[in-house]
Amino acid sequence: MEGEERIREAMGPRWRHVPVKALKETDSTNLRLKEAARAGRISPPFLLTADCQTAGRGRLGRQFVSPAGTGLYMSLLLPPIKDQGPGVTILAAVAVCRALEEETGVRPWIKWVNDLFVQGKKVCGILAEGISEGIIVGIGVNLRTPPGGFPPEAGLAGALDTEADRFSLAGRIAAHLLSAAETPEDAAWLNEYRERMFLTGQRVRYTVNGAEKEGLVRGVAPDGGLLVSDEEGERTLKSGEVTLGSQSVGDLLYKQPQ
Ligand code: BTN
């Protein structure tokens, strides 16, 4: 079976009408969807995958290392999502966790807001971008360690080191995310995110208006923000990134039941 057929098969009958394109190589699947949607060549929903990206993009202007034969790089164009609910990045994180668990049996942990960790390593990143035609959700999953390992700029990146079929995984992720996008207000999505998010109760560092802060994570707000308390009181972080206070993600996660 060809890749596109395998993806459709894994998406199941409910989502079989969704157009799917599987490329060998592209610059960035997010960028390709953005251009095609803006030019009116595609409309939501639409799924694009690639075996390799030459200019994979991460959050906060970072690069996402995307070599051939080692990962799944996919972008799903969704229709605009209702405002109620925790936001598309939260829904996508849960969708990927569910799909990875079904496909590999491994249970990932979520680091707010969009990183998935397994055994202390970041195995997946999510980049959601809103455009007037809809929302592009880009997902990169490191399935295998590239020959020579990940470059130093990839930070905590690691791989699942699984033989999982990336087409089947792409189909499952897309199916869960399409379902989530239909019912973002369903409390089950946020509850599952909260259960899988390992920062609650931990001290973290973050930046507010350019000032470095350290605070305690209280949980995840209904809109998907991170609830923290520090010397100035309670606040909700809406975007950006937090880093762990005294211990590394690896130390912390190895203490969690897997
Ligand atoms: C992050 O960890 O900062 C987000 C990484 C998102 C990477 C995916 S791979 C598929 C899609 N295309 C891109 O250029 N980026 C996203």
Side-chain angles (χ1 to χ4, degrees):
M1 239 197 288
E2 284 304 305
E4 286 165 13
E5 257 179 273
R6 302 221 301 269
I7 294 174
R8 260 190 227 102
E9 174 93 5
M11 285 171 83
R14 181 158 177 226
W15 304 111
R16 216 153 275 156
H17 62 280
V18 175
V20 173
K21 184 86 195 141
L23 301 175
K24 248 193 142 29
E25 181 181 307
T26 190
D27 48 1
S28 152
T29 53
N30 268 32
L31 214 54
R32 286 302 109 231
L33 281 195
K34 200 181 288 181
E35 279 190 13
R38 283 187 173 151
R41 293 197 302 274
I42 60 168
S43 55
F46 193 102
L47 174 61
L48 178 67
T49 71
D51 181 34
C52 150
Q53 296 184 119
T54 52
R57 297 160 63 226
R59 283 177 75 234
L60 310 172
R62 293 182 192 134
Q63 175 202 10
F64 190 80
V65 178
S66 319
T70 62
L72 162 64
Y73 316 110
M74 63 179 270
S75 299
L76 183 62
L77 173 65
L78 293 169
I81 291 186
K82 298 175 228 161
D83 267 351
Q84 305 96 313
V88 74
T89 305
I90 300 278
L91 302 176
V94 174
V96 180
C97 284
R98 285 189 185 183
L100 270 176
E101 239 171 84
E102 288 165 4
E103 195 67 30
T104 67
V106 170
R107 183 179 165 87
W109 290 97
I110 299 171
K111 175 172 175 281
W112 185 88
V113 55
N114 68 331
D115 293 339
L116 266 53
F117 278 78
V118 170
Q119 299 200 322
K121 292 286 175 198
K122 175 175 163 175
V123 298
C124 169
I126 299 167
L127 174 65
E129 300 183 271
I131 55 174
S132 52
E133 294 78 10
I135 303 174
I136 296 164
V137 187
I139 296 165
V141 185
N142 303 326
L143 296 173
R144 283 172 279 282
T145 305
F150 287 94
E153 63 270 22
L156 286 175
L160 288 157
D161 286 322
T162 165
E163 288 310 307
D165 179 323
R166 68 191 171 88
F167 295 114
S168 164
L169 181 62
R172 287 181 193 268
I173 292 173
H176 284 303
L177 186 47
L178 286 158
S179 303
E182 275 194 345
T183 56
E185 70 289 351
D186 183 340
W189 298 108
L190 183 58
N191 288 341
E192 191 169 332
Y193 185 92
R194 286 173 170 149
E195 279 165 23
R196 292 176 182 274
M197 214 287 296
F198 65 83
L199 292 179
T200 302
Q202 299 300 320
R203 296 204 69 78
V204 293
R205 284 195 290 264
Y206 43 90
T207 308
V208 178
N209 299 329
E212 285 253 335
K213 304 272 174 207
E214 184 171 327
L216 183 71
V217 178
R218 301 280 181 193
V220 181
D223 68 357
L226 192 70
L227 296 165
V228 291
S229 55
D230 54 39
E231 77 282 358
E232 286 165 4
E234 298 225 337
R235 65 173 100 232
T236 307
L237 306 178
K238 300 282 185 196
S239 59
E241 211 168 41
V242 300
T243 51
L244 277 167
S246 53
Q247 46 183 344
S248 72
V249 178
D251 288 346
L252 180 62
L253 286 181
Y254 277 119
K255 287 183 198 133
Q256 305 253 8
Q258 287 285 331

